[in-house]
């Protein structure tokens, strides 16, 4: 990357999240100045395909002027007011009605936040408050999964299963348990089918519940598809069995829909695609397509009823239901509906992209476990496909390929040695072809480098 004046100035005053800031000072940062559709543009004239929709969030694509107009009008009318103290406002009232309309049956209430992490933190406190409200205060333990991602606040990072995050700042906080992720490729036994593995992986939950005592467990929390963990899609048997276990032991089932929600998998919500019914689900990202920060916890009727018995919920954010964010989120949801964007992902672009990745990636010897649904995609870099041996120094190989993508003006992401894509939901077939042609060239370069390195 070339150091531009803007990059030098950035490094002088800006500490970046999820970055080695010392290293960044040497390499410099890419400065993105504008964006349109699936493209972002940097300050050196590069037109870059955004295969990640920002951070999995720009579902309707960049540059939709309607959202700016809505934001301006709302700011002129009512720039800010809170939703505490017996108060509301039209923007949040309208958004809530719309969200209840697009949510599955049984979800008629939302609790607002400013981000995915805040949605997860709010959910964590809410499920404990729920059990206390219905006379079971001992049910406090939350069970999540290794390699799950639930945000960066102390609660969210504890709920998540990212060991690198736990290693900093004394996490996880008490009362959180983790079970292994349902990654068939990496964890199945010889001869085990995906369906058999899915049941075995779900049963890890039952084992943990028995270990800590069902009377102590509040909820199981999982992303329908683990996103930042590398797009880990469980076998079809996994979620139905998880749901059965939660019912058997009277434990709330929570879906973290921050990535999967609002169309990513070809349904409004990921749990609809994966075939289960949570009691609560958390959202953010695609709720506003990232145009403004906003998150929402969708609370099922059973949990609402319980909470209503519990008196005041001592929890809330200054910007909960922020009028400008709410107005923009409403318009975003209307665009998803009016333009039938999710339907198109389900019927056309999702299946098309899945097929094209599979066809294109078949030629490569260090690429395996190609997987995806809708417009979320992952594959894994492995040293030996026959033995499923991974590369040493997890993440190093993924980052090497990721950097080649960047140099070729394609944004994809490496999660360890899993490579993932999550383009805007508005991407066309032609744009998918272009993205994959670029990716193909990059992976060819990567394999040539790797052959040279391994002496193959
Ligand atoms: C991104 C993400 C979060 C955190 O959202 P922020 O808005 O970054 O706080 C939580 N859960 C999942 C599944 C996510 O992908």
């Amino acid at each position: 990357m070339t150091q531009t004046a803007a990059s030098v100035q950035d490094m002088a005053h800006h500490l970046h999240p999820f970055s080695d800031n010392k290293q960044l000072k040497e390499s410099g940062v890419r400065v993105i100045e504008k964006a349109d559709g699936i493209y972002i543009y940097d300050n050196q004239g590069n037109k870059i395909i955004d295969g990640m929709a920002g951070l999995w969030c720009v579902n309707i694509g960049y540059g939709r002027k309607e959202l700016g107009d809505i934001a301006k009008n709302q700011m002129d009318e009512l720039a800010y007011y809170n939703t505490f103290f017996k108060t509301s406002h039209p923007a949040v009232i309208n958004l809530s009605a719309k969200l209840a309309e697009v949510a599955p049956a049984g979800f008629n209430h939302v609790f607002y936040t400013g981000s995915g992490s805040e949605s997860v933190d709010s959910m964590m406190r809410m499920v404990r408050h729920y059990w206390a409200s219905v006379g079971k205060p001992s049910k406090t333990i939350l069970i999540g999964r290794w390699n799950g991602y639930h945000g960066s606040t102390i609660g969210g990072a504890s709920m998540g299963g990212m060991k690198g995050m736990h290693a900093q700042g004394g996490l996880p906080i008490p009362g959180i348990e983790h079970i292994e992720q349902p990654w068939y490729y990496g964890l199945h036994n010889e001869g085990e089918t995906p369906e058999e593995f899915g049941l075995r992986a779900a049963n890890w939950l039952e084992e943990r519940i028995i270990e800590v005592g069902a009377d102590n467990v509040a909820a199981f929390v999982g992303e329908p598809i683990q996103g930042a963990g590398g797009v880990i899609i469980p076998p079809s048997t996994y979620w139905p069995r998880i749901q059965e276990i939660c019912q058997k032991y009277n434990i709330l089932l929570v879906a973290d829909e921050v990535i999967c929600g609002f169309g990513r998998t070809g349904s409004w919500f990921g749990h609809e695609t994966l075939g289960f019914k949570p009691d609560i689900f958390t959202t953010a990202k695609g709720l506003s397509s990232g145009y403004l920060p906003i998150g929402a916890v969708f609370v099922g009727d059973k949990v609402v009823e319980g909470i209503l018995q519990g008196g005041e919920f001592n929890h809330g954010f200054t910007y909960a239901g922020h009028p400008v964010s709410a107005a923009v989120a409403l318009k975003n949801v209307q665009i998803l509906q009016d333009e039938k964007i999710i339907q198109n992902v389900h019927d056309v672009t999702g299946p098309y992209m899945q097929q094209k990745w599979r066809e294109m990636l078949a030629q490569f010897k260090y690429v395996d476990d190609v997987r995806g649904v809708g417009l979320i995609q992952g594959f894994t870099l492995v040293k030996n496909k026959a033995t499923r041996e991974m590369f040493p120094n997890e993440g190093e190989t993924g980052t090497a390929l990721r950097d080649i993508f960047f140099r070729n003006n394609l944004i994809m992401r490496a999660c360890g040695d899993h490579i993932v894509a999550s383009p805007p939901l508005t991407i066309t077939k032609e744009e998918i072809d272009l993205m994959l042609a670029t990716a193909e060239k990059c992976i060819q370069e990567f394999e040539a480098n790797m052959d040279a390195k391994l002496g193959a």
Side-chain angles (χ1 to χ4, degrees):
M1 212 164 307
T2 336
Q3 284 274 22
T4 60
S7 166
V8 171
Q9 194 182 14
D10 179 85
M11 293 324 309
H13 306 295
H14 181 185
L15 292 172
H16 288 254
F18 281 110
S19 300
D20 179 338
N21 279 277
K22 178 162 179 266
Q23 201 182 44
L24 259 197
K25 276 187 194 294
E26 287 149 25
S27 67
V29 291
R30 185 185 305 100
V31 178
I32 305 302
E33 290 187 328
K34 58 180 186 173
D36 187 36
I38 67 157
Y39 296 101
I40 57 177
Y41 298 82
D42 70 12
N43 66 346
Q44 297 178 75
N46 288 309
K47 179 179 182 181
I48 302 164
I49 299 172
D50 186 3
M52 284 307 296
L55 286 175
W56 327 75
C57 57
V58 187
N59 288 10
I60 62 165
Y62 296 96
R64 301 290 304 236
K65 300 269 184 287
E66 314 90 296
L67 297 198
D69 296 342
I70 293 273
K72 164 92 172 62
N73 292 342
Q74 182 61 47
M75 234 180 248
D76 290 345
E77 191 76 15
L78 178 70
Y80 174 76
Y81 203 72
N82 70 73
T83 51
F84 297 10
F85 315 137
K86 305 182 178 178
T87 309
S88 199
H89 54 75
V92 79
I93 292 168
N94 293 335
L95 176 62
S96 305
K98 176 57 79 179
L99 293 180
E101 177 197 318
V102 301
F107 286 93
N108 292 294
H109 294 80
V110 292
F111 182 93
Y112 290 103
T113 70
S115 68
S117 301
E118 289 177 15
S119 291
V120 169
D121 278 31
S122 300
M123 171 279 292
M124 292 168 74
R125 296 199 60 206
M126 190 182 284
V127 298
R128 288 170 171 173
H129 177 57
Y130 165 79
W131 286 117
S133 302
V134 299
K136 292 190 161 49
S138 70
K139 285 175 85 67
T140 57
I141 293 175
L142 299 151
I143 304 178
R145 298 177 297 182
W146 294 118
N147 210 30
Y149 186 77
H150 300 296
S152 272
T153 48
I154 289 177
S158 294
M159 195 67 249
M162 296 295 178
K163 290 183 178 154
M165 295 177 78
H166 289 179
Q168 296 175 338
L171 304 183
I173 54 172
I176 316 262
E177 298 274 327
H178 297 89
I179 60 170
E180 193 47 91
Q181 60 179 333
W183 182 34
Y184 174 73
Y185 182 83
L187 298 172
H188 75 268
N189 294 328
E190 244 5 86
E192 195 176 32
T193 66
E195 292 70 28
E196 288 163 353
F197 171 79
L199 293 176
R200 184 163 66 88
N203 288 339
W204 294 330
L205 173 62
E206 180 165 40
E207 288 161 22
R208 188 61 59 91
I209 291 169
I210 291 168
E211 217 174 285
V212 299
D215 287 347
N216 303 316
V217 180
F220 175 71
V221 181
E223 301 153 84
I225 293 170
Q226 283 171 296
V231 181
I232 305 299
I233 307 178
S236 62
T237 48
Y238 180 80
W239 278 113
R241 176 69 184 139
I242 289 279
Q243 180 164 356
E244 224 171 76
I245 292 168
C246 288
Q247 273 160 1
K248 179 171 168 193
Y249 295 98
N250 198 20
I251 283 159
L252 294 178
L253 176 51
V254 180
D256 184 351
E257 294 271 4
V258 172
I259 286 177
C260 292
F262 299 96
R264 177 60 52 197
T265 67
S267 316
W268 277 93
F269 300 101
H271 64 265
E272 298 173 288
T273 303
L274 279 283
F276 69 102
K277 287 190 173 46
D279 297 294
I280 299 183
F281 59 95
T282 48
T283 68
K285 296 190 172 122
L287 167 57
S288 64
S289 285
Y291 277 66
L292 281 176
I294 184 169
V297 183
F298 287 68
V299 188
D301 294 346
K302 172 179 112 177
V303 177
V304 171
E305 251 170 63
I307 287 172
L308 294 183
Q309 298 165 41
E312 186 165 334
F313 182 32
N314 299 315
H315 177 84
F317 301 104
T318 300
Y319 298 132
H322 189 285
V324 185
S325 297
V328 164
L330 175 60
K331 186 66 185 174
N332 173 62
V333 173
Q334 284 168 341
I335 287 173
L336 287 171
Q337 276 187 315
D338 295 348
E339 299 179 11
K340 301 190 166 45
I341 290 171
I342 298 172
Q343 195 65 45
N344 194 53
V345 170
H346 182 271
D347 295 346
V348 183
T349 48
Y352 184 78
M353 187 179 89
Q354 295 310 320
Q355 188 201 336
K356 289 286 162 178
W357 274 116
R358 267 171 225 284
E359 286 171 10
M360 189 273 276
L361 291 172
Q363 65 185 292
F364 294 111
K365 71 172 179 224
Y366 301 121
V367 170
D368 213 357
D369 195 22
V370 180
R371 55 202 184 256
V373 57
L375 288 178
I376 188 169
Q377 182 73 38
F379 57 88
T380 303
L381 301 178
V382 294
K383 195 168 170 198
N384 185 328
K385 289 211 284 199
T387 60
R388 292 187 272 134
E389 183 194 352
M390 303 286 293
F391 286 104
N393 305 325
E394 185 188 346
E396 202 179 282
T397 309
T399 304
L401 174 54
R402 198 265 328 256
D403 289 347
I404 298 174
F405 289 140
F406 281 10
R407 279 206 303 280
N408 287 277
N409 290 336
L410 169 63
I411 304 282
M412 301 255 300
R413 184 162 154 186
C415 306
D417 289 333
H418 304 300
I419 303 295
V420 302
S422 160
L425 304 185
T426 48
I427 194 169
T428 63
K429 281 178 159 182
E430 293 69 28
E431 289 167 336
I432 289 171
D433 289 344
L434 186 63
M435 177 170 81
L436 268 70
T438 309
E440 182 173 25
K441 220 175 56 184
C442 296
I443 303 169
Q444 281 162 352
E445 181 183 331
F446 160 80
E447 292 228 329
N449 294 347
M450 192 50 75
D451 279 345
K453 191 171 157 186
L454 297 176

